[in-house]
Amino acid sequence: PAAGGDAEAQITAVGDQIRVLKEKLKGEGLSGKKINDHDEVKKLVAQLQELKSGAPAAPAAAPVPTPPAPAAGGGSIDSQITAVGDEIRTLKEKLKVEGLSGKKINDHDEVKKLVAQLQAMKEGAAAAPAAPAAAPAAP
């Protein structure tokens, strides 16, 4: 059984929970640092980081290794692109909590590396369509 999909789904779900909670807190008048310092946000971010590192975040979650690089097979390239995008968002949130902002976050080496990886994956997905039959033969 491919458990990697479950881990990605959990990571995405926790990421979505964080976004929803932050929107709610923003609506309540909290901003930036206060939102990131909120206990519930911290708990969810920690859970997300544990999921991404492959460690069990909760008793119900089994440790699942996450693929660090795209598989040569293609097929699940969209899910890999989504996973890297989520990883970038999580890293940016973590850096924001550490006090970095805007340009400093984007200039961070880890962020640059992940963005380059994401762009390469997107270019690879565009260059190699999943359905070769859909590509018309050039005259």
Side-chain angles (χ1 to χ4, degrees):
D6 284 350
E8 284 181 29
Q10 288 176 345
I11 289 169
T12 303
V14 173
D16 289 344
Q17 283 180 308
I18 293 171
R19 282 186 281 283
V20 168
L21 176 60
K22 285 188 168 195
E23 281 302 314
K24 186 184 107 180
L25 294 172
K26 192 185 255 184
E28 292 174 5
L30 294 181
S31 64
K33 185 126 178 72
K34 287 183 180 177
I35 291 175
N36 290 334
D37 286 343
H38 191 277
D39 288 339
E40 213 172 325
V41 172
K42 283 182 175 179
K43 186 182 82 175
L44 286 170
V45 168
Q47 184 180 354
L48 184 66
Q49 288 168 344
E50 285 181 38
L51 282 170
K52 288 191 175 207
S53 72
V64 179
T66 53
S76 65
I77 189 80
D78 286 342
S79 64
Q80 291 170 356
I81 288 171
T82 302
V84 174
D86 289 344
E87 203 172 326
I88 292 170
R89 280 186 286 282
T90 303
L91 177 59
K92 284 185 170 189
E93 284 300 321
K94 186 183 98 176
L95 294 172
K96 197 184 257 186
V97 168
E98 292 173 3
L100 295 181
S101 64
K103 183 141 177 59
K104 287 182 181 177
I105 290 175
N106 290 335
D107 286 344
H108 191 276
D109 288 340
E110 271 185 82
V111 173
K112 282 182 173 179
K113 186 182 81 173
L114 286 170
V115 168
Q117 181 182 347
L118 182 65
Q119 288 170 338
M121 290 168 75
K122 284 182 175 180
E123 287 168 15

